[in-house]
Amino acid sequence: MRIESMKTIGIIGLGLIGGSMAVDLRRRGFAGEIIGVEAEPVNAAAALKICLVDRIADLKECVQESDVVIVAVPVGAAVNLIPEVLDWFSVFAQRDGDCKKVVMDVCSTKEQLASCVNGHPFRNRYVSTHPMAGTEYSGPWAAMAGLFDGHACIICGAEESAPDAVRTAEDIYDTLNMRVIYMEPSAHDVHAAYVSHISHITSFALALTVLEKEKDEKHIFDLASGGFSSTVRLAKSSPDMWTPILSQNKDNVLHVIDTYIEKMQAFRQAIAAGDEAQVRGLIEEANRIRRIIR
């Protein structure tokens, strides 16, 4: 890890990801001061009270005083916010003669973010990242130490960013004990649809299915075991976060949903036919996932 001195970190969006980054960047010596930007007054007050940030500022002040700006808002807001941060970089560069600040996001989709900064004169100060970690909880109260330890982080389109900006992002994720993988934005969105986005959709759908049945069967949740809880856990995730993710990655998500429906239909047909050999074969084929996820 290459840290010449502790940096001033600005974090826009003080929820689970932004807040958890604040916790570990501070306690592991990367951040000397953390400036927060938070549109929700209750969340801003909470972030100050639990010491996630040293102070709350407006966007201009945060960008002006920070070495690194981390955009940790839903991707629907990020497509407008990142160009605005880069615009401020341009203003400060005209005033100071140079700008070595870095802005990075932590959003779950990348192609539209790449498009929104394409051609910006300060595009090379932006690093597109996605730390693959999280929980179903949101808000500053959800922030936790060690959230990112041992997980992967994807850096997208690194060749479009200045080498020193990429090194800063790498140093941040090294501090967070993450391993870095490099991808193009389009490839990231395909993979994210398969390993993350479909998991949330199926969890939402299962929750809706059970909630519908529970209107008539009052003991369903009394009978729910750990397996059900772990499967439906993601259904507690924030709609403010997931609605724009699914919208921006629509084409990839629809393809994965179609594939998922095909597999569900295969199970339905085998069960309806009483074909235990086919059901067993489908389960055994699914068991191959053990080789990948332990």
Side-chain angles (χ1 to χ4, degrees):
M1 181 170 58
R2 306 171 292 265
I3 302 178
E4 297 177 1
S5 62
M6 290 193 295
K7 298 183 182 298
T8 298
I9 305 295
I11 300 180
I12 306 173
L14 300 172
L16 169 69
I17 300 300
S20 297
M21 293 180 82
V23 170
D24 280 341
L25 291 177
R26 186 196 302 278
R27 74 187 185 105
R28 294 174 182 173
F30 191 97
E33 182 182 22
I34 299 177
I35 304 171
V37 178
E38 174 54 60
E40 172 53 57
V42 173
N43 286 356
L48 277 173
K49 184 174 183 179
I50 62 179
C51 299
L52 287 182
V53 297
D54 296 294
R55 55 192 168 100
I56 297 291
D58 62 21
L59 180 65
K60 178 183 177 181
E61 180 183 351
C62 174
V63 176
Q64 182 172 350
E65 299 189 21
S66 298
D67 301 306
V68 181
V69 178
I70 299 173
V71 176
V73 299
V75 68
V79 294
N80 296 314
L81 187 55
I82 293 170
E84 186 175 358
V85 172
L86 293 177
D87 289 344
W88 281 116
F89 283 8
S90 180
V91 170
F92 299 140
Q94 291 176 16
R95 183 195 65 189
D96 302 330
D98 195 10
C99 180
K100 290 298 183 182
K101 296 177 183 292
V102 176
V103 59
M104 50 187 279
D105 77 285
V106 295
C107 296
S108 297
T109 62
K110 294 302 175 192
E111 278 200 277
Q112 285 200 27
L113 290 180
S115 296
C116 81
V117 297
N118 186 36
H120 195 286
F122 280 81
R123 165 63 184 88
N124 69 344
R125 305 313 303 168
Y126 163 61
V127 185
S128 179
T129 81
H130 181 195
M132 301 291 290
T135 73
E136 66 272 31
Y137 301 108
S138 59
W141 305 272
M144 57 187 292
L147 176 67
F148 307 99
D149 288 350
H151 293 282
C153 174
I154 301 171
I155 293 181
C156 291
E159 67 281 358
E160 301 291 333
S161 304
D164 69 290
V166 175
R167 285 194 299 270
T168 296
E170 291 169 339
D171 288 346
I172 285 175
Y173 289 115
D174 188 26
T175 301
L176 297 176
N177 290 334
M178 302 194 82
R179 65 186 187 279
V180 174
I181 300 169
Y182 302 88
M183 288 185 185
E184 289 306 303
S186 59
H188 166 276
D189 286 2
V190 170
H191 294 305
Y194 277 93
V195 303
S196 175
H197 303 169
I198 190 62
S199 300
H200 284 79
I201 294 168
T202 54
S203 189
F204 295 141
L206 177 59
L208 291 171
T209 301
V210 175
L211 287 167
E212 179 68 23
K213 185 63 176 177
E214 200 268 342
K215 293 177 183 178
D216 302 316
E217 300 290 342
K218 301 301 183 183
H219 294 294
I220 285 182
F221 289 113
D222 293 334
L223 301 178
S225 63
F228 174 80
S229 296
S230 62
T231 303
V232 82
R233 172 181 65 85
L234 296 177
K236 295 182 279 186
S237 299
S238 167
D240 292 335
M241 175 180 173
W242 279 96
T243 299
I245 289 173
L246 300 179
S247 176
Q248 288 202 15
N249 204 20
K250 178 179 69 174
D251 291 343
N252 292 318
V253 167
L254 288 176
H255 179 74
V256 180
I257 289 175
D258 289 342
T259 303
Y260 183 81
I261 290 173
E262 289 175 8
K263 301 305 179 185
M264 288 292 289
Q265 189 65 28
F267 269 102
R268 190 188 192 287
Q269 291 172 351
I271 293 169
D275 189 342
E276 292 188 1
Q278 178 66 9
V279 172
R280 181 181 183 87
L282 289 167
I283 294 173
E284 288 177 343
E285 184 178 355
N287 287 164
R288 293 167 51 203
I289 200 73
R290 293 172 181 166
R291 303 174 189 174
I292 304 170
I293 301 175
R294 300 183 183 279

mmCIF file with all atom_site columns, all heavy atoms in Angstrom, residues 185-202:
data_model
loop_
_atom_site.group_PDB
_atom_site.id
_atom_site.type_symbol
_atom_site.label_atom_id
_atom_site.label_alt_id
_atom_site.label_comp_id
_atom_site.label_asym_id
_atom_site.label_entity_id
_atom_site.label_seq_id
_atom_site.pdbx_PDB_ins_code
_atom_site.Cartn_x
_atom_site.Cartn_y
_atom_site.Cartn_z
_atom_site.occupancy
_atom_site.B_iso_or_equiv
_atom_site.pdbx_formal_charge
_atom_site.auth_seq_id
_atom_site.auth_comp_id
_atom_site.auth_asym_id
_atom_site.auth_atom_id
_atom_site.pdbx_PDB_model_num
ATOM 1   N N   . PRO A 1 185 ? -16.456 -1.777  -18.787 1.00 0.00 ? 185 PRO A N   1
ATOM 2   C CA  . PRO A 1 185 ? -17.796 -1.529  -18.231 1.00 0.00 ? 185 PRO A CA  1
ATOM 3   C C   . PRO A 1 185 ? -18.865 -2.496  -18.726 1.00 0.00 ? 185 PRO A C   1
ATOM 4   O O   . PRO A 1 185 ? -19.687 -2.976  -17.937 1.00 0.00 ? 185 PRO A O   1
ATOM 5   C CB  . PRO A 1 185 ? -18.096 -0.092  -18.659 1.00 0.00 ? 185 PRO A CB  1
ATOM 6   C CG  . PRO A 1 185 ? -16.753 0.552   -18.787 1.00 0.00 ? 185 PRO A CG  1
ATOM 7   C CD  . PRO A 1 185 ? -15.848 -0.529  -19.314 1.00 0.00 ? 185 PRO A CD  1
ATOM 8   N N   . SER A 1 186 ? -18.859 -2.803  -20.033 1.00 0.00 ? 186 SER A N   1
ATOM 9   C CA  . SER A 1 186 ? -19.886 -3.698  -20.571 1.00 0.00 ? 186 SER A CA  1
ATOM 10  C C   . SER A 1 186 ? -19.762 -5.099  -19.994 1.00 0.00 ? 186 SER A C   1
ATOM 11  O O   . SER A 1 186 ? -20.769 -5.745  -19.670 1.00 0.00 ? 186 SER A O   1
ATOM 12  C CB  . SER A 1 186 ? -19.814 -3.740  -22.096 1.00 0.00 ? 186 SER A CB  1
ATOM 13  O OG  . SER A 1 186 ? -18.538 -4.176  -22.527 1.00 0.00 ? 186 SER A OG  1
ATOM 14  N N   . ALA A 1 187 ? -18.539 -5.592  -19.858 1.00 0.00 ? 187 ALA A N   1
ATOM 15  C CA  . ALA A 1 187 ? -18.322 -6.921  -19.279 1.00 0.00 ? 187 ALA A CA  1
ATOM 16  C C   . ALA A 1 187 ? -18.749 -6.933  -17.817 1.00 0.00 ? 187 ALA A C   1
ATOM 17  O O   . ALA A 1 187 ? -19.359 -7.906  -17.338 1.00 0.00 ? 187 ALA A O   1
ATOM 18  C CB  . ALA A 1 187 ? -16.855 -7.322  -19.405 1.00 0.00 ? 187 ALA A CB  1
ATOM 19  N N   . HIS A 1 188 ? -18.436 -5.879  -17.099 1.00 0.00 ? 188 HIS A N   1
ATOM 20  C CA  . HIS A 1 188 ? -18.855 -5.786  -15.697 1.00 0.00 ? 188 HIS A CA  1
ATOM 21  C C   . HIS A 1 188 ? -20.367 -5.930  -15.574 1.00 0.00 ? 188 HIS A C   1
ATOM 22  O O   . HIS A 1 188 ? -20.877 -6.682  -14.738 1.00 0.00 ? 188 HIS A O   1
ATOM 23  C CB  . HIS A 1 188 ? -18.425 -4.450  -15.102 1.00 0.00 ? 188 HIS A CB  1
ATOM 24  C CG  . HIS A 1 188 ? -19.112 -4.144  -13.792 1.00 0.00 ? 188 HIS A CG  1
ATOM 25  N ND1 . HIS A 1 188 ? -20.381 -3.571  -13.745 1.00 0.00 ? 188 HIS A ND1 1
ATOM 26  C CD2 . HIS A 1 188 ? -18.735 -4.346  -12.506 1.00 0.00 ? 188 HIS A CD2 1
ATOM 27  C CE1 . HIS A 1 188 ? -20.739 -3.445  -12.478 1.00 0.00 ? 188 HIS A CE1 1
ATOM 28  N NE2 . HIS A 1 188 ? -19.755 -3.899  -11.714 1.00 0.00 ? 188 HIS A NE2 1
ATOM 29  N N   . ASP A 1 189 ? -21.113 -5.213  -16.418 1.00 0.00 ? 189 ASP A N   1
ATOM 30  C CA  . ASP A 1 189 ? -22.565 -5.215  -16.285 1.00 0.00 ? 189 ASP A CA  1
ATOM 31  C C   . ASP A 1 189 ? -23.161 -6.583  -16.590 1.00 0.00 ? 189 ASP A C   1
ATOM 32  O O   . ASP A 1 189 ? -24.155 -6.987  -15.972 1.00 0.00 ? 189 ASP A O   1
ATOM 33  C CB  . ASP A 1 189 ? -23.167 -4.142  -17.179 1.00 0.00 ? 189 ASP A CB  1
ATOM 34  C CG  . ASP A 1 189 ? -22.949 -2.731  -16.625 1.00 0.00 ? 189 ASP A CG  1
ATOM 35  O OD1 . ASP A 1 189 ? -22.300 -2.603  -15.566 1.00 0.00 ? 189 ASP A OD1 1
ATOM 36  O OD2 . ASP A 1 189 ? -23.420 -1.768  -17.258 1.00 0.00 ? 189 ASP A OD2 1
ATOM 37  N N   . VAL A 1 190 ? -22.563 -7.314  -17.529 1.00 0.00 ? 190 VAL A N   1
ATOM 38  C CA  . VAL A 1 190 ? -23.019 -8.679  -17.803 1.00 0.00 ? 190 VAL A CA  1
ATOM 39  C C   . VAL A 1 190 ? -22.787 -9.562  -16.581 1.00 0.00 ? 190 VAL A C   1
ATOM 40  O O   . VAL A 1 190 ? -23.701 -10.267 -16.117 1.00 0.00 ? 190 VAL A O   1
ATOM 41  C CB  . VAL A 1 190 ? -22.287 -9.268  -19.024 1.00 0.00 ? 190 VAL A CB  1
ATOM 42  C CG1 . VAL A 1 190 ? -22.589 -10.761 -19.156 1.00 0.00 ? 190 VAL A CG1 1
ATOM 43  C CG2 . VAL A 1 190 ? -22.693 -8.540  -20.295 1.00 0.00 ? 190 VAL A CG2 1
ATOM 44  N N   . HIS A 1 191 ? -21.578 -9.538  -16.047 1.00 0.00 ? 191 HIS A N   1
ATOM 45  C CA  . HIS A 1 191 ? -21.256 -10.393 -14.901 1.00 0.00 ? 191 HIS A CA  1
ATOM 46  C C   . HIS A 1 191 ? -22.072 -10.012 -13.673 1.00 0.00 ? 191 HIS A C   1
ATOM 47  O O   . HIS A 1 191 ? -22.532 -10.889 -12.929 1.00 0.00 ? 191 HIS A O   1
ATOM 48  C CB  . HIS A 1 191 ? -19.764 -10.320 -14.596 1.00 0.00 ? 191 HIS A CB  1
ATOM 49  C CG  . HIS A 1 191 ? -18.897 -10.903 -15.668 1.00 0.00 ? 191 HIS A CG  1
ATOM 50  N ND1 . HIS A 1 191 ? -19.052 -12.194 -16.135 1.00 0.00 ? 191 HIS A ND1 1
ATOM 51  C CD2 . HIS A 1 191 ? -17.861 -10.380 -16.378 1.00 0.00 ? 191 HIS A CD2 1
ATOM 52  C CE1 . HIS A 1 191 ? -18.160 -12.443 -17.077 1.00 0.00 ? 191 HIS A CE1 1
ATOM 53  N NE2 . HIS A 1 191 ? -17.422 -11.358 -17.254 1.00 0.00 ? 191 HIS A NE2 1
ATOM 54  N N   . ALA A 1 192 ? -22.270 -8.712  -13.453 1.00 0.00 ? 192 ALA A N   1
ATOM 55  C CA  . ALA A 1 192 ? -23.042 -8.274  -12.292 1.00 0.00 ? 192 ALA A CA  1
ATOM 56  C C   . ALA A 1 192 ? -24.484 -8.741  -12.384 1.00 0.00 ? 192 ALA A C   1
ATOM 57  O O   . ALA A 1 192 ? -25.108 -9.085  -11.365 1.00 0.00 ? 192 ALA A O   1
ATOM 58  C CB  . ALA A 1 192 ? -22.984 -6.753  -12.165 1.00 0.00 ? 192 ALA A CB  1
ATOM 59  N N   . ALA A 1 193 ? -25.030 -8.780  -13.594 1.00 0.00 ? 193 ALA A N   1
ATOM 60  C CA  . ALA A 1 193 ? -26.399 -9.265  -13.768 1.00 0.00 ? 193 ALA A CA  1
ATOM 61  C C   . ALA A 1 193 ? -26.533 -10.707 -13.307 1.00 0.00 ? 193 ALA A C   1
ATOM 62  O O   . ALA A 1 193 ? -27.543 -11.088 -12.707 1.00 0.00 ? 193 ALA A O   1
ATOM 63  C CB  . ALA A 1 193 ? -26.813 -9.134  -15.240 1.00 0.00 ? 193 ALA A CB  1
ATOM 64  N N   . TYR A 1 194 ? -25.505 -11.517 -13.577 1.00 0.00 ? 194 TYR A N   1
ATOM 65  C CA  . TYR A 1 194 ? -25.551 -12.938 -13.217 1.00 0.00 ? 194 TYR A CA  1
ATOM 66  C C   . TYR A 1 194 ? -25.264 -13.193 -11.739 1.00 0.00 ? 194 TYR A C   1
ATOM 67  O O   . TYR A 1 194 ? -25.891 -14.058 -11.122 1.00 0.00 ? 194 TYR A O   1
ATOM 68  C CB  . TYR A 1 194 ? -24.566 -13.733 -14.077 1.00 0.00 ? 194 TYR A CB  1
ATOM 69  C CG  . TYR A 1 194 ? -25.123 -14.118 -15.424 1.00 0.00 ? 194 TYR A CG  1
ATOM 70  C CD1 . TYR A 1 194 ? -24.924 -13.308 -16.534 1.00 0.00 ? 194 TYR A CD1 1
ATOM 71  C CD2 . TYR A 1 194 ? -25.866 -15.284 -15.579 1.00 0.00 ? 194 TYR A CD2 1
ATOM 72  C CE1 . TYR A 1 194 ? -25.445 -13.650 -17.777 1.00 0.00 ? 194 TYR A CE1 1
ATOM 73  C CE2 . TYR A 1 194 ? -26.393 -15.634 -16.812 1.00 0.00 ? 194 TYR A CE2 1
ATOM 74  C CZ  . TYR A 1 194 ? -26.178 -14.817 -17.908 1.00 0.00 ? 194 TYR A CZ  1
ATOM 75  O OH  . TYR A 1 194 ? -26.716 -15.158 -19.130 1.00 0.00 ? 194 TYR A OH  1
ATOM 76  N N   . VAL A 1 195 ? -24.313 -12.480 -11.167 1.00 0.00 ? 195 VAL A N   1
ATOM 77  C CA  . VAL A 1 195 ? -23.881 -12.831 -9.807  1.00 0.00 ? 195 VAL A CA  1
ATOM 78  C C   . VAL A 1 195 ? -24.528 -11.978 -8.731  1.00 0.00 ? 195 VAL A C   1
ATOM 79  O O   . VAL A 1 195 ? -24.458 -12.330 -7.550  1.00 0.00 ? 195 VAL A O   1
ATOM 80  C CB  . VAL A 1 195 ? -22.344 -12.754 -9.664  1.00 0.00 ? 195 VAL A CB  1
ATOM 81  C CG1 . VAL A 1 195 ? -21.664 -13.661 -10.667 1.00 0.00 ? 195 VAL A CG1 1
ATOM 82  C CG2 . VAL A 1 195 ? -21.835 -11.315 -9.811  1.00 0.00 ? 195 VAL A CG2 1
ATOM 83  N N   . SER A 1 196 ? -25.151 -10.875 -9.104  1.00 0.00 ? 196 SER A N   1
ATOM 84  C CA  . SER A 1 196 ? -25.724 -9.992  -8.091  1.00 0.00 ? 196 SER A CA  1
ATOM 85  C C   . SER A 1 196 ? -27.169 -9.627  -8.383  1.00 0.00 ? 196 SER A C   1
ATOM 86  O O   . SER A 1 196 ? -28.054 -9.829  -7.553  1.00 0.00 ? 196 SER A O   1
ATOM 87  C CB  . SER A 1 196 ? -24.875 -8.715  -7.981  1.00 0.00 ? 196 SER A CB  1
ATOM 88  O OG  . SER A 1 196 ? -25.459 -7.785  -7.093  1.00 0.00 ? 196 SER A OG  1
ATOM 89  N N   . HIS A 1 197 ? -27.424 -9.112  -9.570  1.00 0.00 ? 197 HIS A N   1
ATOM 90  C CA  . HIS A 1 197 ? -28.734 -8.541  -9.838  1.00 0.00 ? 197 HIS A CA  1
ATOM 91  C C   . HIS A 1 197 ? -29.834 -9.599  -9.849  1.00 0.00 ? 197 HIS A C   1
ATOM 92  O O   . HIS A 1 197 ? -30.910 -9.378  -9.300  1.00 0.00 ? 197 HIS A O   1
ATOM 93  C CB  . HIS A 1 197 ? -28.705 -7.766  -11.152 1.00 0.00 ? 197 HIS A CB  1
ATOM 94  C CG  . HIS A 1 197 ? -27.670 -6.682  -11.169 1.00 0.00 ? 197 HIS A CG  1
ATOM 95  N ND1 . HIS A 1 197 ? -27.308 -5.998  -12.306 1.00 0.00 ? 197 HIS A ND1 1
ATOM 96  C CD2 . HIS A 1 197 ? -26.895 -6.157  -10.173 1.00 0.00 ? 197 HIS A CD2 1
ATOM 97  C CE1 . HIS A 1 197 ? -26.376 -5.096  -12.017 1.00 0.00 ? 197 HIS A CE1 1
ATOM 98  N NE2 . HIS A 1 197 ? -26.105 -5.197  -10.731 1.00 0.00 ? 197 HIS A NE2 1
ATOM 99  N N   . ILE A 1 198 ? -29.578 -10.769 -10.440 1.00 0.00 ? 198 ILE A N   1
ATOM 100 C CA  . ILE A 1 198 ? -30.606 -11.811 -10.464 1.00 0.00 ? 198 ILE A CA  1
ATOM 101 C C   . ILE A 1 198 ? -30.876 -12.351 -9.061  1.00 0.00 ? 198 ILE A C   1
ATOM 102 O O   . ILE A 1 198 ? -32.007 -12.730 -8.740  1.00 0.00 ? 198 ILE A O   1
ATOM 103 C CB  . ILE A 1 198 ? -30.212 -12.964 -11.433 1.00 0.00 ? 198 ILE A CB  1
ATOM 104 C CG1 . ILE A 1 198 ? -31.392 -13.922 -11.638 1.00 0.00 ? 198 ILE A CG1 1
ATOM 105 C CG2 . ILE A 1 198 ? -28.993 -13.707 -10.921 1.00 0.00 ? 198 ILE A CG2 1
ATOM 106 C CD1 . ILE A 1 198 ? -32.618 -13.282 -12.263 1.00 0.00 ? 198 ILE A CD1 1
ATOM 107 N N   . SER A 1 199 ? -29.874 -12.353 -8.203  1.00 0.00 ? 199 SER A N   1
ATOM 108 C CA  . SER A 1 199 ? -30.079 -12.812 -6.826  1.00 0.00 ? 199 SER A CA  1
ATOM 109 C C   . SER A 1 199 ? -31.085 -11.931 -6.105  1.00 0.00 ? 199 SER A C   1
ATOM 110 O O   . SER A 1 199 ? -31.944 -12.412 -5.356  1.00 0.00 ? 199 SER A O   1
ATOM 111 C CB  . SER A 1 199 ? -28.753 -12.804 -6.064  1.00 0.00 ? 199 SER A CB  1
ATOM 112 O OG  . SER A 1 199 ? -27.813 -13.659 -6.671  1.00 0.00 ? 199 SER A OG  1
ATOM 113 N N   . HIS A 1 200 ? -30.985 -10.635 -6.339  1.00 0.00 ? 200 HIS A N   1
ATOM 114 C CA  . HIS A 1 200 ? -31.926 -9.718  -5.705  1.00 0.00 ? 200 HIS A CA  1
ATOM 115 C C   . HIS A 1 200 ? -33.327 -9.866  -6.299  1.00 0.00 ? 200 HIS A C   1
ATOM 116 O O   . HIS A 1 200 ? -34.322 -9.875  -5.564  1.00 0.00 ? 200 HIS A O   1
ATOM 117 C CB  . HIS A 1 200 ? -31.425 -8.280  -5.838  1.00 0.00 ? 200 HIS A CB  1
ATOM 118 C CG  . HIS A 1 200 ? -30.308 -7.948  -4.901  1.00 0.00 ? 200 HIS A CG  1
ATOM 119 N ND1 . HIS A 1 200 ? -29.004 -8.332  -5.136  1.00 0.00 ? 200 HIS A ND1 1
ATOM 120 C CD2 . HIS A 1 200 ? -30.299 -7.291  -3.719  1.00 0.00 ? 200 HIS A CD2 1
ATOM 121 C CE1 . HIS A 1 200 ? -28.247 -7.922  -4.137  1.00 0.00 ? 200 HIS A CE1 1
ATOM 122 N NE2 . HIS A 1 200 ? -29.006 -7.279  -3.265  1.00 0.00 ? 200 HIS A NE2 1
ATOM 123 N N   . ILE A 1 201 ? -33.415 -10.006 -7.616  1.00 0.00 ? 201 ILE A N   1
ATOM 124 C CA  . ILE A 1 201 ? -34.731 -10.148 -8.240  1.00 0.00 ? 201 ILE A CA  1
ATOM 125 C C   . ILE A 1 201 ? -35.436 -11.399 -7.740  1.00 0.00 ? 201 ILE A C   1
ATOM 126 O O   . ILE A 1 201 ? -36.625 -11.367 -7.405  1.00 0.00 ? 201 ILE A O   1
ATOM 127 C CB  . ILE A 1 201 ? -34.593 -10.192 -9.769  1.00 0.00 ? 201 ILE A CB  1
ATOM 128 C CG1 . ILE A 1 201 ? -34.090 -8.845  -10.293 1.00 0.00 ? 201 ILE A CG1 1
ATOM 129 C CG2 . ILE A 1 201 ? -35.941 -10.536 -10.420 1.00 0.00 ? 201 ILE A CG2 1
ATOM 130 C CD1 . ILE A 1 201 ? -33.658 -8.885  -11.744 1.00 0.00 ? 201 ILE A CD1 1
ATOM 131 N N   . THR A 1 202 ? -34.730 -12.517 -7.677  1.00 0.00 ? 202 THR A N   1
ATOM 132 C CA  . THR A 1 202 ? -35.360 -13.750 -7.216  1.00 0.00 ? 202 THR A CA  1
ATOM 133 C C   . THR A 1 202 ? -35.763 -13.646 -5.750  1.00 0.00 ? 202 THR A C   1
ATOM 134 O O   . THR A 1 202 ? -36.794 -14.197 -5.340  1.00 0.00 ? 202 THR A O   1
ATOM 135 C CB  . THR A 1 202 ? -34.425 -14.956 -7.418  1.00 0.00 ? 202 THR A CB  1
ATOM 136 O OG1 . THR A 1 202 ? -33.161 -14.708 -6.792  1.00 0.00 ? 202 THR A OG1 1
ATOM 137 C CG2 . THR A 1 202 ? -34.196 -15.220 -8.894  1.00 0.00 ? 202 THR A CG2 1
#
